[in-house]
Structure formats: C-alpha cells, structure tokens
Amino acid sequence: MPPGLPQGRVKTDAAGRKQLEAALQAGHGIDKTTPLSQLIALDVAFHSAIYRLAGNPVIEETIAPQWPHMRRSMAAVLTELDYRDSAWTEHQTIAAHVLAGDAKAAEAAALAHAQTAGHKTEERLTALEQAA
C-alpha cells in the first residue's frame, strides 16, 4: 500500500473504494481536448481518494498546504498530450493494487508514478526556462 494505507480499511471501506473507483472512471474519460483545469481536478480527485481511503486525517492535513504546488506540477506534466493517458494508466495500476490489498505492489507503482511525474515536471520546466 502507499504509505498510511492500511490493508484492512481498504477491504472494509466501501465508500472509500467507491470514491476511488469513481475517480478512476472519470479519469479514463479524458482525451486530448479535455481542458487542463479539468485534468488537474481529476488528478486531485484521484490522489484525494487514495488519501481518504487511508483513513488517516494527518495525510490530508499534511498535503493540504501543498496542493497549490502540486497543481502547478500537475499542470506542467499534463500539458503534454502524450502523458495524459499514461498518467491514468499509472493511476489504474496503483488503484488495482490498492483495491487488491497488495501493499508492496501498490507502493512500487505509486513510487514509479511519482518518479515519472517528477521527471516529466523537471523536463517541462527546464524546456520552459530555456525557451524564455
């Protein structure tokens, strides 16, 4: 599981599971014409569903002041049309492991997603800086 996501809660929290599944379904409806603001909102909804499913309010309290920075990073990454589908494929992989209760696989998938997004953000910001 991603840090803080207890396996027992994942199995018993039907509302949390439903919220995660709804976030995934909404994310799979995106395409190249989906506005960036909607992409960011959908991405936030996915990550928020994971945090809420953890049942640990400290996670949500800790991330709350970081959302403006995270949204900027998401915007930098999601402007790349080629990464939009990949991001949701990564989300699907994370969620599948979470919902199956496979802690190690979920953690590995979440780490890979974070690293990919981090690299994409760095590449995008570097390109913007060089263009300026």
Side-chain angles (χ1 to χ4, degrees):
M1 298 281 136
L5 203 56
Q7 185 173 355
R9 179 172 175 84
V10 170
K11 290 182 177 182
T12 61
D13 185 353
R17 292 173 66 90
K18 186 175 181 175
Q19 182 181 7
L20 179 57
E21 290 165 354
L24 283 170
Q25 184 175 3
H28 283 298
I30 66 167
D31 61 26
K32 293 183 186 223
T33 65
T34 304
L36 184 57
S37 61
Q38 185 179 352
L39 292 170
I40 293 168
L42 291 169
D43 207 326
V44 168
F46 170 79
H47 288 270
S48 294
I50 293 284
Y51 304 150
R52 288 186 189 126
L53 191 56
N56 182 343
V58 174
I59 294 171
E60 290 188 87
E61 291 170 18
T62 302
I63 195 67
Q66 305 306 318
W67 276 123
H69 306 293
M70 296 292 291
R71 285 184 179 99
R72 280 197 298 274
S73 179
M74 290 172 179
V77 171
L78 294 172
T79 56
E80 293 186 31
L81 298 178
D82 293 341
Y83 186 62
R84 291 178 179 192
D85 287 337
S86 298
W88 283 98
T89 299
E90 292 168 11
H91 287 170
Q92 179 67 47
T93 300
I94 294 165
H97 293 310
V98 166
L99 295 172
D102 189 340
K104 288 185 181 195
E107 183 178 2
L111 178 60
H113 175 61
Q115 289 174 332
T116 298
H119 291 305
K120 294 277 186 192
T121 301
E122 180 182 19
E123 289 171 7
R124 180 78 175 146
L125 294 176
T126 300
L128 289 172
E129 184 178 285
Q130 291 173 350

